[in-house]
Amino acid sequence: MSGPQESGAQVNRSRESRSQESTSFAALRGQLQEAAAAFAGGPDALEGILLGLVDDVDRAVREPLEIFPVCHHSPASATAMARRLREKQPKVVYLELCEDMAPLLTELRNCRLPVAVQAFAGDVDGFPQEWAPLSVVAPITEASAEYQAIAYALDTPGVELVLVDRSADHVFQWDDRGEKAAEDGEAAPEEPEAGLHGEAVGVEIGDLRPRFSELEEHLLRHGKVRHWSEWWHQYVEVPLGDSAADHDTYRQVMFLIGSLFRRLAPGDGARVRVDEDRERYMWTRMREHMAATGTEPADALYVCGAFHAASRVAEFGVDGSDTFTISPRTATTWQYGLIPSSNAAIEAQFGLAAGSVSIAATEWAKSLKRTRVRPFRLAGQTGGKQRPAKKAAPAQRAQVSSGPAADSAAGDLLSGFLRRPPVIDALDEAELLGWSVDIVRAARRNGYLASTADAIAVFETSILLAGMRDRAKPTPYDFQDAAVTCIEKDVVPGRRDVRRLVEIMMGGDRIGQVGYEALPPLARDVHDRLAPLGLKLQQRGVQRALLDMASRPELQACSDVLWMLRRLMPHGAARPIMGERRLGERSIQESWDVALGTHQRALIELGYEGVSIEQVLEQRLRRDAYGPRATTASVLAAVEDATLYLGSRRLADELGTHALKVLAGERSVDGAPEVLRRVRALLAYYRTSEPVLPAWIESFVKTGYAHYCTLLPTAFRDEDATVGQVAAMLGFLFSMESLALSLGCDRAQLELAVAQSHPEDPSKTALLWAAQVQLGTLSRAELRARCDGLLDNPLVVPSYPRYLSGFVHALEPVPGLADVVVEAVSNAFGRLPDSVLLPWLPLLITTLRSGAADLAPLLIREAGRIFPGRLEALDAWVPPWRAPADPSGGVRADAGRRGAALLPAHPATCDAVADLLGCAEGWASPGVPVGAARSGVELLAAHPATCDAVAELLGCDGEWATQAGGTQSAGAVLTSRH
């Protein structure tokens, strides 16, 4: 047997100390000693363990401060607690719960259970930053002894409730995250309600489960049960929940179970140390409170888990040593609140079997009817039948016998309980028949082909399984197995299987709700601001909200709140169905799916960050922008969100100025596409909505122009830089060039950067050629010649799709090359044979789809413009790049006068413009020759240098054209054409 065992010296010291102990359990000690000798063949460690169990029970029973051991969410513990509180009526209740959560307990009356008390810290100080955010939750259900104690203390005058467990800060001070991550390697829960607690650390109030895996396996195998929850229900809940089990018997049995699991726990040093420190912490706090208030132990009640009740630390008891020093808390600021919980969330967090909490709630209701115990319930509590609170008089408390004298008089009740034969419960046929009929009805509603015969089979199989497991009355777990056996098919027709249907039928996954009064200020503010929508925001599920801002302008404020909630909360809390919000665009009608009741926990946790959603959004934008992993793209996204949701020019300017610093410190081009997209959007917005551009965006364009010029040669050679990222850099440089040059940038810097670029990748090479065409260092004719040369070279043809990929990406910085790209693709399909074309065709398609999907529409539009629109015209169609050139090399005399024919037809407009420009010349006569009426063209011919420079900037070939009997520059011809 593994586990901590007492040595021989410890056994001898234990024997010597027993002579000074009470003789209440002498008979039980003798029986266990004889059993140990019989099984082990003599006194050894087994005897020390068995006798140590009795010593732990005896020590806990004789403690002057009455200890009430409980199990987490146990109906038997809740029933015994309600009964004991009405008998003893203590003046002080010490409860095992984080001491800093005490102010939140009064808000439970405004909630529908189950809920969880939460301590939350978004910013940590004293803990590793990777732990943030920190969250501690303590779930509370109505069928729990803890809630009974809380309700009694809060609604009974003169009773004080004192929480004595470690604070939330100490939970993480004593936490070893590495070991906890290894222990919590369980599968994620399937039900969405199981994630209501998130990744919070659960405070295991009254947790009682063997940590000795071999012991748990032994109990499950011999108990003929599947999991621990079923074993506890069958062998602890049912016997202790019987009305015959009085308070003293209940205490001694729970002390024994806690001691057994404690002494047989494996040697996990870290976990044992935390458990013992918690016990030292609690006893130290209780002694401090009694010393400060003068509370007598007989007037108090200590509620804790049975595992901690059987403690062996030196600080145990009101007379224990005061050697434990409580460490100070860290500088972390903790926020406290109530969050909704559910049965599934409790089961998932504490490792309970699915449906066990729902079954416990059902057993709690049945136990109250059977024992006629009146439970305690907070005044004003929602979700159940209200009962008037009865106040107990102080004189009645004095008449009740309590304390060690009463416990001593009780004597050894443990021996009789252990020897008592199991109670054979009579079969409740009416209850079992009701279950069988209900499960068949539920199965049929969920798509199963169940009938009355299945109900009879479930009934009989439940009795059969209970008999095979040595019990006359089938438990809910027996019934669940029988229903799965008789109804479940190979395929589940609906969303729920039979096992889940039984859990729902037994009580369902009850989900709690935090009332409006218990919500933090931010959550209440959200509810108030969304009140004009007329929705039940506390209700779970999705609700549709229709906003017509044209007829009801007051709904614009609701729209602003919904858009901010969409930005801050998880997906599905606020989801737009119709309407959008972009820079410079506002919808006049919107439709939303709102589910704030389902995501109440997320809304409550927003309240821990601020008092309004505007404040929280601003804090998050600053955190994203100034964080260690912030990039230029993320900072610009924060600028856009600040403008879009908050309308804050101050915050946008501050974040934009910070984007300059982040851009100057970047040495990679990973975020270039996102930077280009966001800068373009912001520029378009400011140009249309502001009289002048903000200073920060002008500086950003100027800095970005120089920054990307510097990185361009390196990016062309870098294998990690993709062609899309380099194309985005060129797109920034070319699209922002006019603004950058007006701000003082030098175009020669870009020309030098392109001249220094020497890529080896085919796609980047094609991108470089496109940049050279844009700069004028490479003509379109030369680019076409290079493309033809690629097709003529059989060694290059296999990589031709990558060149095409580069040309397609080049449409981002040089959209005017769309016709050249269409020509390059068409030439490949027209010239290459099928044996060459078909192998790299899939590569071409996948390359364009993965890397340039957003640029494909531009390419398609250009192809639609060039290719004929009708199929019968395709045979006679000649591509423009194959059309024969004009042998004269000139231009028709009337080519430049086609648009001018519109002006004489409507002379009034032209006369008005001439008057504005101060032109005094009249209209030319129809008989005047063309050359005589085109004095402007003669001026260009007289000074061709200026026109040639403009032609080079626009990418014209620069050749001379013969027109109207004379020789003119290309710029003059271009002017005559436009």
Side-chain angles (χ1 to χ4, degrees):
M1 179 181 297
S2 61
Q5 300 177 351
E6 295 182 353
S7 62
Q10 291 174 335
V11 173
N12 293 333
R13 287 194 299 268
S14 177
R15 290 172 179 172
E16 294 175 358
S17 63
R18 293 191 192 108
S19 60
Q20 303 175 359
E21 295 175 353
S22 66
T23 59
S24 301
F25 296 89
L28 182 59
R29 287 193 182 94
Q31 294 172 11
L32 293 178
Q33 191 170 8
E34 293 175 1
F39 282 103
D44 60 353
L46 177 60
E47 178 185 356
I49 293 177
L50 295 179
L51 297 182
L53 299 179
V54 183
D55 293 342
D56 292 341
V57 175
D58 190 17
R59 183 186 186 190
V61 167
R62 291 186 297 106
E63 171 59 34
L65 174 60
E66 180 179 341
I67 304 174
F68 194 97
V70 299
C71 177
H72 195 55
H73 304 299
S74 167
S77 295
T79 304
M81 173 61 73
R83 183 189 296 115
R84 182 55 179 169
L85 289 174
R86 295 195 181 278
E87 293 175 354
K88 183 181 177 65
Q89 298 182 8
K91 297 179 182 179
V92 178
V93 177
Y94 297 111
L95 182 61
E96 178 192 336
L97 188 63
C98 293
E99 58 183 2
D100 49 345
M101 294 182 177
L104 264 294
L105 299 182
T106 57
E107 297 294 339
L108 289 175
R109 67 179 74 252
N110 298 319
C111 305
R112 185 178 69 239
L113 301 180
V115 296
V117 186
Q118 182 184 37
F120 183 90
D123 298 326
V124 298
D125 186 356
F127 300 106
Q129 290 296 328
E130 57 269 17
W131 287 15
L134 306 179
S135 180
V136 179
V137 297
I140 298 176
T141 63
E142 189 172 356
S144 63
E146 298 84 5
Y147 176 75
Q148 294 299 308
I150 293 172
Y152 163 79
L154 295 182
D155 281 353
T156 304
V159 177
E160 183 180 5
L161 178 65
V162 183
L163 306 185
V164 294
D165 200 0
R166 55 182 176 166
S167 65
D169 197 272
H170 287 90
V171 170
F172 290 94
Q173 286 188 30
W174 301 350
D175 185 21
D176 190 340
R177 280 301 179 94
E179 297 181 5
K180 182 172 288 292
E183 294 174 2
D184 295 343
E186 300 179 357
E190 297 181 0
E191 293 293 331
E193 290 78 7
L196 289 178
H197 295 173
E199 299 180 354
V201 175
V203 179
E204 300 178 356
I205 305 176
D207 177 55
L208 200 57
R209 183 168 183 168
R211 299 179 184 175
F212 188 20
S213 58
E214 288 81 358
L215 173 61
E216 182 174 349
E217 181 182 356
H218 176 83
L219 294 175
L220 298 183
R221 183 175 66 254
H222 289 275
K224 299 180 181 180
V225 294
R226 293 168 301 167
H227 45 71
W228 173 250
S229 299
E230 185 177 359
W231 184 93
W232 181 266
H233 173 270
Q234 180 64 26
Y235 295 100
V236 180
E237 284 291 333
V238 174
L240 290 181
D242 186 10
S243 58
D246 58 4
H247 169 65
D248 297 310
T249 303
Y250 167 84
R251 290 184 64 209
Q252 294 180 20
V253 171
M254 294 296 287
F255 286 145
L256 179 65
I257 296 175
S259 177
L260 174 66
F261 293 163
R262 188 185 189 92
R263 288 182 175 269
L264 294 183
D268 185 354
R271 188 166 185 179
V272 171
R273 175 183 55 80
V274 171
D275 290 333
E276 292 181 348
D277 285 347
R278 288 181 64 186
E279 292 154 8
R280 296 185 179 99
Y281 194 107
M282 289 186 287
W283 282 108
T284 301
R285 288 303 192 200
M286 285 186 286
R287 284 194 297 270
E288 291 176 354
H289 180 269
M290 287 187 288
T293 60
T295 302
E296 294 295 332
D299 296 332
L301 184 68
Y302 171 35
V303 183
C304 68
F307 187 89
H308 298 291
S311 176
R312 293 175 291 171
V313 297
E315 290 80 4
F316 177 87
V318 295
D319 298 326
S321 62
D322 292 325
T323 57
F324 183 71
T325 302
I326 298 176
S327 60
R329 301 181 188 180
T330 64
T332 300
T333 302
W334 290 89
Q335 305 285 338
Y336 302 92
L338 296 171
I339 63 173
S341 184
S342 67
N343 295 345
I346 297 172
E347 293 160 358
Q349 185 165 359
F350 297 103
L352 304 176
S356 58
V357 178
S358 300
I359 293 176
T362 304
E363 292 296 323
W364 160 253
K366 293 170 57 177
S367 176
L368 294 180
K369 294 180 181 180
R370 184 178 65 254
T371 60
R372 299 184 181 276
V373 173
R374 290 189 298 112
F376 290 93
R377 188 178 184 83
L378 286 172
Q381 185 79 56
T382 59
K385 184 179 180 181
Q386 300 295 328
R387 295 183 178 88
K390 293 188 177 181
K391 302 179 180 180
Q396 293 178 341
R397 298 193 188 103
Q399 296 173 1
V400 178
S401 176
S402 60
D407 293 333
S408 300
D412 178 13
L413 300 177
L414 191 57
S415 299
F417 180 84
L418 296 177
R419 287 185 173 185
R420 183 190 310 167
V423 178
I424 306 299
D425 294 332
L427 175 62
D428 191 347
E429 293 187 0
E431 180 185 52
L432 187 58
L433 280 175
W435 288 354
S436 302
V437 173
D438 291 342
I439 189 58
V440 169
R441 183 184 298 113
R444 295 187 65 176
R445 285 198 303 264
N446 284 268
Y448 287 93
L449 299 178
S451 63
T452 305
D454 293 313
I456 298 174
V458 172
F459 179 85
E460 298 294 342
T461 306
S462 301
I463 299 175
L464 176 62
L465 289 177
M468 295 174 59
R469 296 167 179 174
D470 297 333
R471 43 184 178 259
K473 180 180 180 181
T475 65
Y477 299 98
D478 297 329
F479 172 76
Q480 188 179 51
D481 293 340
V484 172
T485 303
C486 299
I487 302 177
E488 189 70 85
K489 304 298 187 290
D490 295 337
V491 178
V492 178
R495 188 168 62 93
R496 300 183 178 95
D497 57 6
V498 175
R499 188 175 302 279
R500 178 62 180 156
L501 293 177
V502 175
E503 296 172 5
I504 296 175
M505 189 191 71
M506 288 293 176
D509 183 17
R510 187 174 184 181
I511 302 174
Q513 184 184 76
V514 180
Y516 175 85
E517 294 79 6
L519 292 174
L522 180 143
R524 293 199 299 269
D525 179 63
V526 169
H527 282 251
D528 295 340
R529 295 167 68 177
L530 295 180
L533 298 179
L535 302 179
K536 298 179 180 178
L537 300 178
Q538 290 278 63
Q539 180 179 330
R540 291 182 59 85
V542 179
Q543 303 178 70
R544 179 63 57 86
L546 302 177
L547 287 75
D548 186 3
M549 277 79 74
S551 59
R552 297 182 60 187
E554 68 274 10
L555 294 181
Q556 182 62 50
C558 297
S559 175
D560 297 338
V561 173
L562 290 174
W563 282 109
M564 284 186 283
L565 291 177
R566 179 179 179 267
R567 171 64 172 77
L568 295 171
M569 294 189 65
H571 176 73
R575 185 167 62 94
I577 303 300
M578 181 183 70
E580 59 182 358
R581 177 164 292 192
R582 297 179 181 176
L583 288 174
E585 298 181 10
R586 295 292 178 92
S587 302
I588 61 174
Q589 288 184 337
E590 295 177 352
S591 176
W592 289 81
D593 277 350
V594 183
L596 293 184
T598 304
H599 297 82
Q600 192 180 51
R601 167 181 165 267
L603 181 61
I604 291 173
E605 290 187 350
L606 281 182
Y608 300 152
E609 302 182 40
V611 295
S612 66
I613 52 177
E614 288 84 1
Q615 179 187 2
V616 173
L617 180 56
E618 182 174 346
Q619 291 176 354
R620 289 196 180 184
L621 293 178
R622 291 180 185 275
R623 183 177 60 192
D624 296 340
Y626 290 93
R629 297 183 179 181
T631 62
T632 305
S634 63
V635 178
L636 291 178
V639 174
E640 184 175 344
D641 290 343
T643 305
L644 197 60
Y645 300 119
L646 297 177
S648 175
R649 178 67 182 273
R650 171 191 55 81
L651 180 61
D653 291 347
E654 176 188 343
L655 298 180
T657 304
H658 180 65
L660 292 172
K661 302 178 182 178
V662 178
L663 177 65
E666 287 185 346
R667 293 297 177 264
S668 66
V669 295
D670 296 341
E674 187 72 10
V675 170
L676 174 62
R677 184 180 68 84
R678 296 193 178 277
V679 167
R680 281 179 174 175
L682 289 170
L683 267 176
Y685 169 74
Y686 286 126
R687 281 171 173 167
T688 56
S689 61
E690 300 287 344
V692 294
L693 291 177
W696 74 266
I697 201 167
E698 293 183 350
S699 301
F700 186 90
V701 171
K702 184 177 180 180
T703 304
Y705 189 87
H707 178 73
Y708 284 132
C709 284
T710 304
L711 295 181
L712 189 62
T714 305
F716 268 113
R717 294 190 304 269
D718 189 4
E719 295 181 357
D720 296 332
T722 64
V723 62
Q725 294 171 353
V726 180
M729 294 176 60
L730 291 174
F732 183 94
L733 294 172
F734 290 146
S735 60
M736 306 292 169
E737 184 176 17
S738 59
L739 179 59
L741 295 181
S742 66
L743 296 175
C745 294
D746 189 359
R747 193 169 192 267
Q749 188 177 6
L750 176 58
E751 295 175 348
L752 291 175
V754 173
Q756 295 173 358
S757 301
H758 304 287
E760 298 179 358
D761 184 74
S763 58
K764 293 183 180 179
T765 301
L767 188 61
L768 178 62
W769 293 348
Q772 291 173 348
V773 171
Q774 180 69 14
L775 291 176
T777 59
L778 183 68
S779 65
R780 287 173 173 257
E782 294 174 342
L783 179 61
R784 290 188 175 94
R786 292 185 181 183
C787 293
D788 292 338
L790 295 176
L791 292 176
D792 294 335
N793 189 347
L795 299 178
V796 182
V797 167
S799 59
Y800 191 75
R802 301 178 64 184
Y803 283 95
L804 291 181
S805 175
F807 283 129
V808 174
H809 280 92
L811 297 179
E812 176 71 48
V814 191
L817 285 181
D819 58 337
V820 178
V821 179
V822 172
E823 177 183 346
V825 176
S826 301
N827 287 337
F829 279 85
R831 294 175 54 181
L832 295 178
D834 293 343
S835 58
V836 177
L837 182 65
L838 293 179
W840 60 258
L841 188 59
L843 176 62
L844 173 63
I845 296 175
T846 56
T847 302
L848 296 180
R849 177 179 296 178
S850 62
D854 53 337
L855 298 173
L858 178 61
L859 192 64
I860 294 173
R861 285 195 301 269
E862 183 65 23
R865 187 187 65 83
I866 294 177
F867 288 94
R870 305 184 65 181
L871 183 61
E872 55 269 16
L874 185 61
D875 295 335
W877 175 72
V878 178
W881 52 88
R882 292 187 181 179
D886 188 357
S888 63
V891 182
R892 294 192 319 178
D894 60 344
R897 298 184 56 82
R898 292 177 182 176
L902 186 64
L903 296 178
H906 304 279
T909 303
C910 192
D911 291 340
V913 174
D915 292 340
L916 289 176
L917 298 177
C919 297
E921 298 181 4
W923 288 86
S925 301
V928 178
V930 175
R934 300 179 63 185
S935 58
V937 176
E938 296 175 355
L939 182 64
L940 295 176
H943 303 279
T946 303
C947 195
D948 289 340
V950 175
E952 291 179 2
L953 288 177
L954 298 178
C956 297
D957 297 338
E959 67 273 8
W960 290 87
T962 303
Q963 182 177 9
T967 302
Q968 296 179 345
S969 66
V973 176
L974 181 66
T975 305
S976 66
R977 290 178 180 176
H978 302 280

